[in-house]
Amino acid sequence: VSVASGPRGSVNGIVQLSRGVADATTLHLLDVASGRWNDPMARGALGGAPVELVHLWRREQGLVVARGNPHGIARVADLQSRRIAWRLPGTGSRLLLERLMLAAGCAPRPELGEPAESHLAVAAAVATGAADAGLAVRAVAESAGLDWVPVLSEPFELALDQAAKGAAEPLLATLAESSVQARLSAMSGYDLSMSGELRVAA
């Protein structure tokens, strides 16, 4: 297995898959028009060509806040005028937070926030006081000793070019191993009950 070079994130991964630069990519992208996760984006990026989607897990996304929640952030609408740790452009979490804020009547202002390259970086920004809050998975918040406000549960999946399905079998077999499942299950906010289920993006 080799990692394709380029920016991280669900959107960038789908672009690389569509260009043939990558054989597979992980994604968690909500299609606002249909309210469906991953299928429309994966199928659209490949011009309607069939795409295999492998369910890896569901994970809880929420707002990472300082211990004791000193700013009283209880929902996305409370982010108005707060300093936010923003994931980079092209990441599913960045797009999700922007959409959630717009739906809550807030104006997303990533240019005024703290850039964060990962979920762990979001937690670090909050822990050091560089940001009041940020969107990240529950496990990261808990590992950093921070408080966490639940927002939603999302499917995290692997999109495969159908021609690469055979080459991905060892990876899928590894994910199904009980030792790997046990390690993932030990993290807060992960649901592996559908792990390994495969479908063609509709």
Side-chain angles (χ1 to χ4, degrees):
V1 175
S2 61
V3 179
S5 60
R8 297 172 62 177
S10 295
V11 172
N12 297 315
I14 282 291
V15 169
Q16 291 194 343
L17 187 66
S18 70
R19 292 175 176 170
V21 176
D23 298 314
T25 185
T26 55
L27 74 162
H28 59 113
L29 293 171
L30 175 64
D31 178 59
V32 176
S34 66
R36 300 175 63 204
W37 289 88
N38 301 332
D39 292 57
M41 303 294 195
R43 194 69 182 259
L46 273 71
V51 183
E52 300 275 358
L53 287 175
V54 182
H55 184 90
L56 299 179
W57 46 73
R58 291 192 71 88
R59 64 182 192 176
E60 296 179 22
Q61 285 257 47
L63 302 177
V64 180
V65 297
R67 185 178 295 180
N69 197 359
H71 301 293
I73 297 170
R75 54 197 178 117
V76 172
D78 295 332
L79 296 178
Q80 186 70 43
S81 303
R82 289 293 172 197
R83 297 172 304 146
I84 300 173
W86 285 97
R87 295 295 308 282
L88 301 182
T91 59
S93 294
R94 164 76 167 260
L95 290 170
L96 178 60
L97 183 55
E98 289 176 341
R99 288 167 178 162
L100 290 170
M101 289 184 71
L102 288 171
C106 300
R109 299 291 301 275
E111 69 278 6
L112 300 179
E114 182 72 14
E117 293 191 355
S118 66
H119 287 257
L120 185 58
V122 169
V126 173
T128 59
D132 298 328
L135 186 72
V137 294
R138 178 179 172 184
V140 163
E142 292 189 358
S143 69
L146 299 168
D147 283 0
W148 185 82
V149 179
V151 173
L152 55 75
S153 173
E154 64 179 5
F156 194 79
E157 297 182 303
L158 182 72
L160 282 170
D161 184 318
Q162 283 197 320
K165 185 178 175 183
E169 289 299 333
L171 170 63
L172 301 180
T174 299
L175 288 171
E177 290 179 1
S178 58
S179 59
V180 174
Q181 294 275 310
R183 290 176 62 190
L184 291 170
S185 297
M187 295 190 296
S188 298
Y190 283 82
D191 176 1
L192 279 73
S193 60
M194 295 172 58
S195 182
E197 290 189 10
L198 187 147
R199 69 183 189 282
V200 176

